[in-house]
Amino acid sequence: MESSKNSTFRKLLVWQKSMALVTLIYSEVMVFPPDELYALTSQIKRSATSIPSNIAEGYGREGKKDYLRFLNIALSSLFELQTQLEIAYNLKFLKQDNFIKLYNDSREIERMLSNFIRKIKN
C-alpha cells in the first residue's frame, strides 16, 4: 500500500497513538499482582502490542484486501484489550483514573481505526 518512497506506516496517526497506548499499558501492568504475570498481564500486553504491529504489517502488504485484513485484526485486538482492561479494573488491578485514561485512549484509537478501514474500503 506504499504510495511513495517517503511513505511509511510511522506517519499514520492511528499507529502513533496505538504505540503510545502500548507504552502506557506496559507501565500500568507492572503493578499487577505477580501471580497474574502469565495470565492477564501477558494477555493485555499481547493484545496491546498486536494493534500497532498489525497496522504496520498490513501497511507492508500488497493490495487493499490484505491491508484491510490486518487492519481488522488490529481492531479485533483493540476490542480484546478493552475487555481485558475492564477485567483488570473489576479485579481492582487498575485504579479508576488509570482505567478511564486507558479506556478513553483505546476508544479514540477504535474510532480512528474504524474510520481508516472505511476509507481504505472506498
Side-chain angles (χ1 to χ4, degrees):
M1 293 301 310
E2 192 168 340
S3 60
S4 74
K5 294 268 185 201
N6 294 326
S7 186
T8 174
F9 62 86
R10 288 177 183 86
K11 291 183 180 180
L12 296 172
L13 186 57
V14 69
W15 180 84
Q16 294 169 10
K17 290 202 178 259
S18 61
M19 287 293 288
L21 180 61
V22 170
T23 304
L24 283 174
I25 291 289
Y26 266 73
S27 65
E28 282 298 321
V29 299
M30 290 175 102
V31 299
F32 280 21
D35 62 330
E36 285 297 324
L37 182 61
Y38 300 106
L40 189 57
T41 303
S42 179
Q43 283 294 115
I44 288 174
K45 287 163 60 173
R46 272 197 304 270
S47 59
T49 303
S50 177
I51 301 162
S53 298
N54 277 289
I55 293 169
E57 187 171 354
Y59 189 91
R61 296 295 175 131
E62 301 259 343
K64 186 165 71 168
K65 185 178 178 184
D66 218 15
Y67 193 16
L68 285 168
R69 184 169 67 85
F70 280 92
L71 292 176
N72 278 300
I73 292 169
L75 188 59
S76 296
S77 293
L78 180 64
F79 293 149
E80 182 181 358
L81 175 63
Q82 289 170 344
T83 300
Q84 293 160 352
L85 290 174
E86 284 198 43
I87 292 167
Y89 176 68
N90 290 345
L91 294 171
K92 310 273 189 265
F93 298 163
L94 285 172
K95 295 177 185 166
Q96 185 175 18
D97 291 347
N98 297 354
F99 168 74
I100 290 169
K101 165 78 172 126
L102 293 170
Y103 191 76
N104 286 341
D105 287 355
S106 77
R107 292 286 292 145
E108 179 184 16
I109 293 166
E110 178 186 341
R111 287 186 293 276
M112 293 174 75
L113 199 48
S114 294
N115 288 335
F116 191 45
I117 290 168
R118 271 194 296 280
K119 181 182 171 188
I120 299 288
K121 280 182 179 176
N122 297 330

